[in-house]
Amino acid sequence: MSSDLPIRKIIHVDMDAFYASVEQMDNPELRGKPVAVGGGGTRGVVSAASYEARKFGVRSAISGAQARRNCPQLIFVKPRFDRYTEISKQVKKIFFDYTDLVEPLSLDEAYLDVTENKKGNPSASLLAKEIRDRIFNEVGLTASAGISINKFIAKVASDYNKPNGQKTVNPEEVLEFLEVLDIRKFYGVGKVTAEKMYQKGIFTGKDLKSKTLEFLDENFGKSGRYYYYIVRGIHNSEVKPNRIRKSLAAERTFNENLSSEVFMLEKLEHIAEEVSRRLNKSKVAGKTITLKIKYSDFTLQTRSKTLPYFISDASIILETAKDLLYQEKMSNSVRLLGISLSNLNTEKSKKMVVKEKEVSVQLQFGF
């Protein structure tokens, strides 16, 4: 690999308990108290939790009922996505004072490529500190950051000193950092994959690095190659200011479980209309329709169908979702239905060849 290989300094900024922190900022009576954003009823789900609530085991995606059992004094507030979007725009405006290479992942996190930045500051670590200080002083919230040679390591690092902290993984520290990393900390390794890795004797980055590419391909399919390279510090994904949307979806959780397909069809009609509205607003269309079904026992099932043409029309989406619904008999009553469209007309296929030698070039880069 030639020395002309692009070398990058990447910052991953992650707002601390964003939704809950906004609520505490706007309502002083909530400050210092355990707060959950979401529904606290029997069917509710926690969208976000303050750090005070997290001490009691309250986490996003758990049921409101479980959250209350974990923390009886928990205060539930309804989400205000318009407000979160407003604050997110304020934060992103700060980002663009430093670089135009900003890739938002969601309302509360983003990658910044500051290899060449508007401040002319060669230190990505100092830039991250300055950005976090400005977010606090101008917006009123705290943020954490990870700084390193690529997006993967920066994202992992941003979780290290939360809340209101940052961690820099310098080029010469990358390989050691990854070797001692718990496999559960690897971004992209979920609970199921982690359990499978444990069964294969993989508990740390060092264990993962000891496995051959053939072994990882055989045991983890398409993800095997990804694991093989990231544990060697190789991750060539660039910060993309205009991220290409890969799918668009809408779903509904019901107040009571549905056991009649007639009632399900009524709900699907509203969901299909919402998906169509979002598609048309984004001026995109898709070919693959996926029906998501979550049963009353929380098991999840998806059914998909790919059409030979792009669609965004609600009636076609609904008819396809109906076909998927009737594809097989329901195994239980249903608590959630969702429809997503993927294989969108915005997607571009890119083939990227990765070479292990790149890491030695990256490690020459000063931070």
Side-chain angles (χ1 to χ4, degrees):
M1 180 66 62
S2 72
S3 59
D4 294 333
L5 178 73
I7 306 298
R8 298 185 289 272
K9 297 184 180 184
I10 308 297
I11 301 173
H12 177 254
V13 179
D14 193 5
M15 302 298 294
D16 297 322
F18 183 53
Y19 295 172
S21 295
V22 171
E23 297 300 335
Q24 289 178 317
M25 177 178 69
D26 288 353
N27 184 355
E29 293 183 1
L30 297 177
R31 294 174 189 172
K33 297 179 181 178
V35 173
V37 176
T42 56
R43 309 287 297 183
V45 176
V46 175
S47 296
S50 68
Y51 283 97
E52 295 86 355
R54 294 182 187 187
K55 294 176 182 177
F56 295 90
V58 178
R59 295 284 187 273
S60 62
I62 71 170
S63 69
Q66 181 62 54
R68 286 195 186 280
R69 286 195 292 271
N70 291 355
C71 181
Q73 65 270 42
L74 187 64
I75 302 170
F76 274 91
V77 294
K78 292 182 178 180
R80 299 179 297 150
F81 290 106
D82 288 346
R83 177 60 172 156
Y84 308 147
T85 301
E86 177 188 355
I87 297 293
S88 179
K89 288 179 180 177
Q90 294 176 24
V91 173
K92 288 181 176 64
K93 187 176 180 181
I94 294 173
F95 294 160
F96 283 110
D97 285 344
Y98 294 84
T99 177
D100 289 328
L101 297 178
V102 177
E103 180 182 341
L105 297 179
S106 59
L107 291 178
D108 61 344
E109 61 177 320
Y111 292 114
L112 288 73
D113 187 331
V114 295
T115 311
E116 295 180 7
N117 58 83
K118 297 177 181 179
K119 303 295 183 180
N121 190 335
S123 173
S125 300
L126 292 178
L127 286 173
K129 179 65 167 62
E130 185 176 322
I131 290 168
R132 290 176 46 246
D133 287 345
R134 283 191 58 188
I135 292 172
F136 181 75
N137 294 326
E138 298 174 26
V139 181
L141 298 173
T142 63
S144 299
I147 306 98
S148 197
I149 62 173
N150 61 44
K151 288 162 65 174
F152 171 77
I153 302 171
K155 183 167 177 64
V156 173
S158 67
D159 212 32
Y160 255 68
N161 293 317
K162 269 186 165 291
N164 196 26
Q166 67 182 60
K167 180 176 178 59
T168 299
V169 181
N170 290 301
E172 65 275 9
E173 300 169 339
V174 166
L175 297 181
E176 181 181 356
F177 173 80
L178 292 171
E179 283 190 355
V180 299
L181 195 66
D182 188 309
I183 203 65
R184 293 171 298 179
K185 298 287 186 181
F186 275 73
Y187 179 57
V189 175
K191 185 177 180 180
V192 174
T193 302
E195 288 296 331
K196 185 174 181 180
M197 286 191 173
Y198 292 161
Q199 294 171 10
K200 303 295 181 183
I202 303 172
F203 298 93
T204 66
K206 186 175 182 179
D207 297 330
L208 179 60
K209 194 175 180 180
S210 70
K211 303 302 182 183
T212 64
L213 178 57
E214 292 73 21
F215 175 90
L216 294 175
D217 276 341
E218 181 180 343
N219 288 278
F220 299 97
K222 295 178 181 179
S223 299
R225 182 169 295 268
Y226 167 75
Y227 301 141
Y228 179 85
Y229 284 113
I230 59 170
V231 78
R232 289 164 171 77
I234 302 170
H235 186 237
N236 282 345
S237 177
E238 297 178 359
V239 172
K240 302 178 183 67
N242 300 307
R243 296 184 76 216
I244 298 174
R245 183 187 289 274
K246 294 186 176 180
S247 65
L248 197 151
E251 60 184 42
R252 296 288 183 272
T253 300
F254 312 121
N255 292 327
E256 296 181 358
N257 295 334
L258 303 180
S259 54
S260 168
E261 291 173 345
V262 174
F263 293 131
M264 293 180 202
L265 289 175
E266 180 184 339
K267 303 298 183 183
L268 280 178
E269 183 175 356
H270 295 299
I271 298 171
E273 289 173 353
E274 176 62 18
V275 172
S276 177
R277 186 190 68 79
R278 294 180 184 182
L279 286 165
N280 292 322
K281 183 179 179 181
S282 300
K283 297 181 180 179
V284 297
K287 289 184 177 181
T288 302
I289 299 94
T290 299
L291 176 67
K292 176 181 177 182
I293 305 168
K294 183 178 284 186
Y295 293 102
S296 54
D297 61 359
F298 286 86
T299 57
L300 187 65
Q301 185 183 57
T302 58
R303 306 170 184 177
S304 298
K305 181 178 182 179
T306 299
L307 302 177
Y309 45 83
F310 291 105
I311 64 162
S312 62
D313 183 78
S315 61
I316 301 176
I317 295 171
L318 178 60
E319 285 305 312
T320 308
K322 284 182 181 179
D323 290 342
L324 294 169
L325 184 68
Y326 288 122
Q327 197 174 73
E328 60 181 90
K329 191 175 180 180
M330 294 293 168
S331 60
N332 207 332
S333 57
V334 172
R335 63 175 279 120
L336 176 149
L337 286 172
I339 300 174
S340 67
L341 245 73
S342 56
N343 197 5
L344 302 182
N345 55 3
T346 57
E347 293 184 28
K348 297 178 181 178
S349 59
K350 291 184 178 180
K351 292 184 179 180
M352 183 171 61
V353 179
V354 187
K355 296 187 178 181
E356 185 173 352
K357 190 175 178 181
E358 292 175 12
V359 80
S360 64
V361 181
Q362 289 179 324
L363 297 185
Q364 297 170 9
F365 191 38
F367 261 60

